[in-house]
């Protein structure tokens, strides 16, 4: 990545950026990350104040949201993780940077680890998760693969 993008928490004036990000997602991201527009709807709950127990960060390239990472169940000892990078920003290390932002928060806040699920055919995401230290530990109730990153 030539210039590092700003990674920051959501702000009240970000609604348009968030919608633009989800509108920009390609087929794979819509199928693997935003099925039935669920992750968009959860992200937008930030703006009406109904999102609880969740922390969200975005990667910004000027006024464009290039990536998104979030943790939920943040009051538990092991938090859940989700991430997506806009197609135009993939293969530049942004996914790694976003993942490290969330993982660092979890470590700094005394969590025991981070969990995630991913579709068995989502090979690009699995490669990122494994590079970050996640290990596949089984299959979740919905048939997706379950990954865990435990902290020492």
């Amino acid at each position: 990545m030539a210039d590092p993008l700003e990674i920051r928490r959501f702000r009240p004036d970000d609604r348009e950026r968030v919608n633009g990000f989800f509108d920009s997602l390609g087929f794979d991201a819509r199928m693997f990350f935003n099925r039935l527009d669920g992750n968009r709807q959860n992200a937008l709950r930030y703006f009406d104040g109904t999102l609880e127990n969740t922390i969200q960060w975005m990667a910004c390239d000027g006024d464009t949201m290039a990536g998104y990472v979030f943790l939920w169940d943040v009051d538990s000892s092991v938090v859940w993780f989700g991430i997506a990078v806009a197609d135009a920003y993939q293969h530049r290390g942004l996914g790694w940077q976003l993942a490290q932002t969330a993982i660092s928060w979890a470590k700094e806040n005394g969590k025991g680890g981070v969990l995630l699920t991913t579709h068995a055919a989502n090979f690009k995401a699995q490669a990122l998760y494994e590079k970050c230290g996640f290990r596949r530990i089984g299959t979740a109730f919905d048939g997706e693969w379950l990954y865990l990153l435990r902290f020492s």
Side-chain angles (χ1 to χ4, degrees):
M1 183 176 301
D3 294 319
L5 304 181
E6 176 188 17
I7 297 176
R8 63 169 175 78
R9 301 272 296 266
F10 275 30
R11 296 188 312 223
D13 65 337
D14 284 330
R15 181 185 292 272
E16 186 175 322
R17 283 181 194 86
V18 171
N19 272 316
F21 171 77
F22 281 95
D23 289 345
S24 79
L25 294 179
F27 179 79
D28 284 351
R30 287 192 316 272
M31 294 303 297
F32 294 136
F33 177 74
N34 195 37
R35 281 175 286 188
L36 303 175
D37 219 25
N39 276 321
R40 179 200 305 251
Q41 295 309 314
N42 283 332
L44 291 174
R45 289 177 51 214
Y46 167 85
F47 300 103
D48 64 18
T50 63
L51 186 65
E52 297 177 357
N53 207 18
T54 301
I55 299 174
Q56 302 163 302
W57 295 267
M58 67 170 58
C60 294
D61 185 5
D63 285 335
T64 300
M65 182 174 165
Y68 174 46
V69 65
F70 59 92
L71 296 173
W72 77 95
D73 281 344
V74 296
D75 65 352
S76 65
S77 61
V78 177
V79 296
W80 286 89
F81 172 93
I83 188 170
V85 174
D87 290 7
Y89 292 88
Q90 291 185 6
H91 308 290
R92 299 165 144 189
L94 183 56
W96 168 265
Q97 292 174 343
L98 285 164
Q100 294 310 305
T101 297
I103 291 166
S104 293
W105 183 94
K107 285 180 180 177
E108 291 166 7
N109 286 275
K111 303 305 174 184
V114 179
L115 278 169
L116 66 89
T117 62
T118 189
H119 193 281
N122 194 355
F123 304 120
K124 287 193 294 188
Q126 293 162 23
L128 171 64
Y129 304 145
E130 291 169 11
K131 181 179 176 184
C132 291
F134 285 87
R135 297 291 171 245
R136 186 173 145 205
I137 60 170
T139 305
F141 66 91
D142 60 0
E144 290 199 337
W145 288 359
L146 181 64
Y147 278 81
L148 173 65
L149 173 60
R150 290 197 302 178
F151 305 142
S152 300

